[in-house]
Amino acid sequence: MTYPGTITLTRGAHETRAAGVCLLEAAAWFAGKSHTDHPACVSPVLAAYGRSLNDALPDDSRQLLVPFVPLMPGTAGDGLDEARGYLALDWLIRVHTPAWLDLAGLADEARALRDLSRITDLAAAQAARPVVLTARNKATAARDATKDAAWAAARDAAWAAARDAARDAAWDAAWAAAGDAARDAVWDAAWAAARDVLAPTVTQLQESAIVLFSAMIHPETMP
């Protein structure tokens, strides 16, 4: 069964290719491997992020991932996984979390996170942690007081960022961030009752998450 010229990505894992393919299953297909959403030829960090991103995006936006399919095979064992993870951690702390803080009215805390130096190693992550904790505590207090969806989303985002900034090992922080960046409050916060309020931020972060995925494929080209 030859990889087709055009393909439509669908959500979740599939029993067979005839039933559909997600991003990682398409990458396995392109590489001529057996059907799986955990192809050994793809960086495990890139794959973890890609599976989460594939399932988080709406159907139309998911198709924006198709051009990345041929770029993923061959990334396993290329020595770039730690750099990929720190790209994700940096996004989680300096892009994802500030977007929710802004929505919740915590502009000063959002600005403090955006003004942090780019997080490229464990030292930078640890230096960012006090700033993230301040934002987390402020968002938590406000959420508990108001029970508002925007505050809750800000709280959840800040907790995720604080958790990953505090990890003891560079590899652990990098690995966890790859999954969290595509899975945490960006997607889970869009509850039906608050969809009109949260949807623009969700859409903005989904678009940014696709840009992040592109950067994670070849992190060595980042300035």
Side-chain angles (χ1 to χ4, degrees), residues 57-92:
L57 292 173
D59 291 341
D60 55 347
S61 297
R62 185 180 300 114
Q63 307 320 310
L64 297 175
L65 302 178
V66 171
F68 301 129
V69 169
L71 305 180
M72 298 170 66
T75 56
D78 62 6
L80 298 174
D81 279 348
E82 188 170 309
R84 290 185 177 105
Y86 278 119
L87 280 175
L89 182 60
D90 183 72
W91 183 88
L92 186 67

Side-chain angles (χ1 to χ4, degrees), residues 41-203:
C41 59
V42 176
S43 148
V45 173
L46 197 63
Y49 182 90
R51 280 188 295 272
S52 294
L53 186 59
N54 177 90
D55 290 353
L57 292 173
D59 291 341
D60 55 347
S61 297
R62 185 180 300 114
Q63 307 320 310
L64 297 175
L65 302 178
V66 171
F68 301 129
V69 169
L71 305 180
M72 298 170 66
T75 56
D78 62 6
L80 298 174
D81 279 348
E82 188 170 309
R84 290 185 177 105
Y86 278 119
L87 280 175
L89 182 60
D90 183 72
W91 183 88
L92 186 67
I93 291 175
R94 298 199 303 128
V95 178
H96 166 277
T97 304
W100 288 113
L101 294 173
D102 276 337
L103 187 63
L106 294 173
D108 290 343
E109 288 74 13
R111 187 178 308 109
L113 290 181
R114 290 191 178 102
D115 288 346
L116 288 168
S117 298
R118 183 179 161 197
I119 297 168
T120 58
D121 54 28
L122 184 60
Q126 291 173 335
R129 186 169 183 253
V131 183
V132 176
L133 288 176
T134 297
R136 182 199 70 180
N137 293 340
K138 186 72 174 287
T140 298
R143 185 264 182 188
D144 290 344
T146 65
K147 306 300 183 183
D148 180 80
W151 287 106
R155 187 278 313 270
D156 291 347
W159 271 96
R163 180 188 64 236
D164 289 333
R167 292 180 187 270
D168 292 334
W171 176 254
D172 288 344
W175 183 273
D180 288 339
R183 184 182 60 245
D184 277 342
V186 177
W187 325 116
D188 294 339
W191 305 294
R195 192 173 304 277
D196 289 345
V197 174
L198 302 179
T201 298
V202 171
T203 299

